[in-house]
Amino acid sequence: MSSAVSSPPPVRRLPLAGALRLGRPSDIWFKPALSVVAAAAPPNLLLVALGRLDLAIYTMAGSLCALYAHDRPYAARARVLAGVVLGMLGGLAVSLVTASLTADAVVLVTVGAVVAAVQRALCDASRIGPPGNVVLTFVSSASLFLSQSIGQVPGHLALAAAAGLWAYVVGMAPSPFRPHGPERRATAHALNASAAYVENGGTGARAAAHAAVRAARRALLAAG
């Protein structure tokens, strides 16, 4: 009788393992996070003081605009943030007006799908960068199911616009102190990635260096 012990069959990885694996966070991951905190805290604290925290969903719609354009030079960032705030207000307006006129689920879902498609197309066409249309679609889709009257819509849009304006200020706040910070950071990242490729080689390092150089080129061109 053989004493050999059969080895267990090899474990096959699921084809989705690569897609589900968490990637390395960006070098400036903390900047969008801190910006949203700075953009959301004053409006929400004011609502708490007034006893109207139920309106926070409208101010948060504007505050979430602070997530965008942190990799852009400030001249380009100003344009992107302004476009994001206007796009957020447009989608929110459509959703709130629709929600005030009907409670039909089919109509609400259809309007939400059309708005999401338009937001996706515009974000892709403008190459707005992360988080893309995700936040805008989340805001407009959630707003479709908020109960309200048509007379309340202007006030709710005003709250979102005020918070969006504050998010714009937060996003542009570092510009007087480090006016060329984004393009300098992109250039330094490109140099480091290129040096790592020259030193170590490899397909992954080559792709990272190529992406970093392209990002630096876009940043410098946007900065003029």
Side-chain angles (χ1 to χ4, degrees):
M1 184 174 63
S2 174
S3 60
V5 178
S6 60
S7 59
V11 178
R12 296 181 60 185
R13 291 186 176 182
L14 292 174
L16 295 178
L20 297 176
R21 185 183 299 114
L22 293 177
R24 181 177 180 272
S26 70
D27 295 335
I28 57 170
W29 65 267
F30 57 92
K31 292 181 181 291
L34 293 177
S35 294
V36 170
V37 172
N44 288 340
L45 290 175
L46 180 59
L47 291 177
V48 170
L50 296 175
R52 292 304 310 269
L53 195 57
D54 57 299
L55 299 175
I57 188 170
Y58 305 107
T59 57
M60 281 303 302
S63 299
L64 288 174
C65 294
L67 285 168
Y68 289 85
H70 288 272
D71 59 338
R72 305 291 182 96
Y74 288 107
R77 184 182 300 187
R79 296 190 296 269
V80 171
L81 284 176
V84 168
V85 173
L86 292 176
M88 179 274 299
L89 288 174
L92 184 62
V94 171
S95 296
L96 294 182
V97 170
T98 303
S100 68
L101 296 177
T102 182
D104 188 286
V106 174
V107 175
L108 295 177
V109 171
T110 301
V111 171
V114 172
V115 171
V118 171
Q119 290 168 333
R120 175 63 184 269
L122 291 176
C123 288
D124 287 350
S126 61
R127 297 180 180 179
I128 198 171
N133 67 299
V134 175
V135 171
L136 302 179
T137 301
F138 170 76
V139 168
S140 58
S141 298
S143 302
L144 280 167
F145 299 93
L146 296 176
S147 178
Q148 61 194 287
S149 65
I150 189 67
Q152 294 174 308
V153 172
H156 294 163
L157 287 176
L159 286 173
L165 179 60
W166 174 243
Y168 179 93
V169 172
V170 170
M172 297 299 297
S175 58
F177 309 101
R178 298 191 64 189
H180 303 293
E183 54 265 41
R184 286 182 175 179
R185 185 168 55 247
T187 303
H189 183 58
L191 292 173
N192 291 334
S194 300
Y197 170 62
V198 170
E199 181 178 353
N200 302 319
T203 305
R206 182 173 183 269
H210 180 68
V213 170
R214 289 187 62 184
R217 182 174 181 271
R218 285 196 302 268
L220 291 173
L221 289 175

